[in-house]
Amino acid sequence: MNWRNLIFAGLAGAAVGYAVTKKQTEWLSPEKALKMLKEKATQTYNISGSWILVNRESTSVFGLPYTVYKGGFSDSSYGNAPVHYEFLIDARTGTLLQLEEK
């Protein structure tokens, strides 16, 4: 392997490492986080309305620190009266951290 190939391989590895690191530190938009939640939740709930706060908040879930979006939705599966739920979504990954009926 000559020096030119070695330098090229090193630069390519650095570029891939930079791209992966940058992707891990990006925040999801609140709209995308809500869309991801609704896609999964519609398998179980009949969502008639939803909302999400656009500002990220730092909080602790089960003793672990997270930066989250807060939001909620209404489920109209149980007759006429909708059931309201509130949730916390990880702002980096879109993972649902907490869901509770209100």
Side-chain angles (χ1 to χ4, degrees):
M1 184 174 204
N2 62 26
W3 286 103
R4 186 176 49 189
N5 289 344
L6 184 61
I7 291 172
F8 178 73
L11 290 175
V16 169
Y18 174 76
V20 168
T21 302
K22 183 164 175 57
K23 183 67 178 165
Q24 289 178 344
T25 59
E26 289 180 0
W27 302 103
L28 287 175
S29 70
E31 294 83 10
K32 184 172 182 175
L34 181 60
K35 182 180 177 185
M36 291 170 62
L37 173 86
K38 286 173 64 175
E39 286 174 356
K40 291 294 184 180
T42 54
Q43 297 172 0
T44 305
Y45 302 100
N46 184 18
I47 297 176
S48 58
S50 62
W51 59 272
I52 192 163
L53 296 177
V54 296
N55 295 327
R56 296 182 298 268
E57 297 182 13
S58 295
T59 189
S60 177
V61 178
F62 300 115
L64 299 173
Y66 288 97
T67 301
V68 300
Y69 291 117
K70 290 184 178 182
F73 64 88
S74 298
D75 174 26
S76 58
S77 298
Y78 300 109
N80 295 333
V83 178
H84 303 285
Y85 293 90
E86 289 187 2
F87 57 80
L88 296 177
I89 295 179
D90 186 349
R92 290 189 195 277
T93 64
T95 302
L96 179 64
L97 299 173
Q98 187 175 18
L99 177 67
E100 57 186 38
E101 185 177 332
K102 291 293 178 175

